[in-house]
Amino acid sequence: MSTPVSIQQSFVIENENYNEAHRSEQLNLQLMRTTTAPKENSIVETVLVGLSILLLVLLFPLSLLVVFVKVRQFERVVILRNGKLRHRETYGPGLIFYLPCIDSLKFLDLRVICHSVHPQETLTKDSLSMTVDAVVYYKIKDPILAVMRVTDYKHSTQYIAATTLRNAIGSKKLSEILKDRRAVSLQVFESMRNMTHNWGVQVLRVEIKDIRLPLQLQKAMAAEAESTRLASAKIKVAKAEIECNRSLQTATEMLMDNQWGMTLRYLQSLQTISGDKTHTIVIPYSVETLKNIFK
């Protein structure tokens, strides 16, 4: 009954942490948009915009081929005009208009990204070497933060996944890791989510795929397990012998109480072995009995 309660408590804590992280993310987004976005363009920037529009008018209708770009349903575009964030919002899906001379487009995929963390060889808390790999699922929560806060959100998230996995393994013993992988996955998930939510990246799930141990460590663990099994088997055999001896002692006492008990037991044993014709039955007689027979 303790396991479901602990799992439920972990999910409650996870939801509370997620709500707190989401509120912090919204505050950071508002702060970033109010502090980094320019209030108005300079004279030079205004002139460049006017020249770009004039150039498009002069090249009309050929300019129509380059002023529109298609944004797919699962994509969003962040436009930087003269290196500055335009209108503090994202664009898409559909056709969007931009000025090729002064606008630069940043396409971002909103679908879930599955990243396989390369096998990480690290030491556990009890100084045992092991190799662990995992799978991380994440997606872009806010495209503007993903462009403005980090150079490459994919590589940054993948590097954080590798380092966080190594740190999580180093904080636990080998027995704890083998017993409860879910706890390690949850620890990596919490650490990654706290780091990446300021980048507009939402970590959805972290799962450990495989745990590989060195061959020597595997042999040592197998020998230890075999020794434990042998010791347990010997203890069980010894307990069985003790119970058998006690039962025989009790049976002997019961047979000794009746003078005909041993005779009945003797006849029962003869009946048991007489069913197989391959046995030779030898019936012992005492010397006194033989003397009485041949008199």
Side-chain angles (χ1 to χ4, degrees):
M1 296 298 295
S2 61
T3 301
V5 174
S6 61
I7 294 176
Q8 184 177 4
Q9 291 177 352
S10 64
F11 278 110
V12 170
I13 295 174
E14 179 179 344
N15 292 330
E16 293 178 353
N17 293 335
Y18 175 75
N19 294 331
E20 183 179 356
H22 182 68
R23 290 192 296 268
S24 177
E25 178 181 349
Q26 295 298 327
L27 293 175
N28 291 333
L29 176 60
Q30 296 177 2
L31 180 61
M32 187 274 296
R33 289 180 174 180
T34 55
T35 55
T36 60
K39 295 182 179 181
E40 59 182 9
N41 295 329
S42 62
I43 298 177
V44 178
E45 293 173 348
T46 304
V47 172
L48 290 176
V49 173
L51 291 177
S52 300
I53 296 175
L54 179 61
L55 182 61
L56 295 178
V57 173
L58 294 177
L59 296 178
F60 185 83
L62 296 178
S63 59
L64 294 177
L65 301 176
V66 295
V67 296
F68 291 100
V69 64
K70 179 180 68 175
V71 180
R72 291 175 290 186
Q73 182 68 36
F74 52 84
E75 290 179 334
R76 293 297 182 270
V77 173
V78 176
I79 299 179
L80 300 177
R81 175 161 294 179
N82 294 320
K84 298 179 180 180
L85 184 64
R86 182 186 178 189
H87 293 169
R88 301 183 295 278
E89 62 183 9
T90 59
Y91 298 86
L95 291 177
I96 62 172
F97 173 83
Y98 76 106
L99 299 177
C101 300
I102 57 176
D103 288 346
S104 59
L105 307 181
K106 301 292 183 180
F107 287 84
L108 295 105
D109 195 333
L110 300 184
R111 294 176 294 182
V112 176
I113 300 174
C114 176
H115 170 62
S116 178
V117 181
H118 295 292
Q120 303 293 316
E121 185 175 358
T122 182
L123 292 176
T124 60
K125 188 177 181 180
D126 46 358
S127 300
L128 295 176
S129 177
M130 65 185 309
T131 303
V132 184
D133 54 356
V135 181
V136 179
Y137 298 89
Y138 64 95
K139 68 175 183 178
I140 293 180
K141 186 68 174 179
D142 193 308
I144 295 179
L145 291 180
V147 173
M148 304 299 293
R149 288 289 182 87
V150 63
T151 304
D152 191 336
Y153 72 92
K154 286 186 177 181
H155 285 85
S156 300
T157 304
Q158 293 169 7
Y159 287 143
I160 284 183
T163 55
T164 306
L165 179 61
R166 294 171 64 92
N167 293 335
I169 295 299
S171 63
K172 294 183 177 295
K173 296 182 179 180
L174 179 61
S175 59
E176 298 175 350
I177 298 173
L178 297 178
K179 185 184 301 182
D180 191 3
R181 294 189 180 185
R182 175 62 180 169
V184 181
S185 301
L186 184 61
Q187 181 179 351
V188 177
F189 172 75
E190 292 289 343
S191 299
M192 288 191 61
R193 188 176 61 182
N194 295 333
M195 294 179 184
T196 59
H197 76 275
N198 289 328
W199 302 343
V201 176
Q202 180 183 0
V203 179
L204 302 177
R205 191 177 183 86
V206 178
E207 290 292 339
I208 294 180
K209 288 198 305 182
D210 190 19
I211 297 176
R212 291 187 292 273
L213 303 176
L215 183 59
Q216 295 180 353
L217 182 58
Q218 293 181 16
K219 292 181 178 180
M221 294 177 65
E224 182 181 359
E226 183 68 20
S227 301
T228 303
R229 287 193 295 268
L230 291 175
S232 177
K234 290 181 179 179
I235 292 174
K236 291 181 179 179
V237 170
K239 290 182 179 180
E241 290 180 354
I242 294 173
E243 293 295 331
C244 183
N245 292 331
R246 289 177 180 175
S247 299
L248 289 175
Q249 184 178 0
T250 303
T252 302
E253 293 175 355
M254 294 176 63
L255 291 174
M256 293 299 293
D257 293 340
N258 191 346
Q259 60 179 353
W260 298 104
M262 292 299 296
T263 304
L264 292 174
R265 179 60 181 166
Y266 175 70
L267 295 176
Q268 184 181 3
S269 301
L270 290 177
Q271 183 183 3
T272 301
I273 64 177
S274 64
D276 195 350
K277 296 181 180 181
T278 60
H279 289 83
T280 301
I281 301 175
V282 179
I283 301 176
Y285 287 97
S286 62
V287 177
E288 290 78 6
T289 303
L290 292 176
K291 289 181 180 180
N292 294 329
I293 292 174
F294 291 106
K295 281 182 179 181

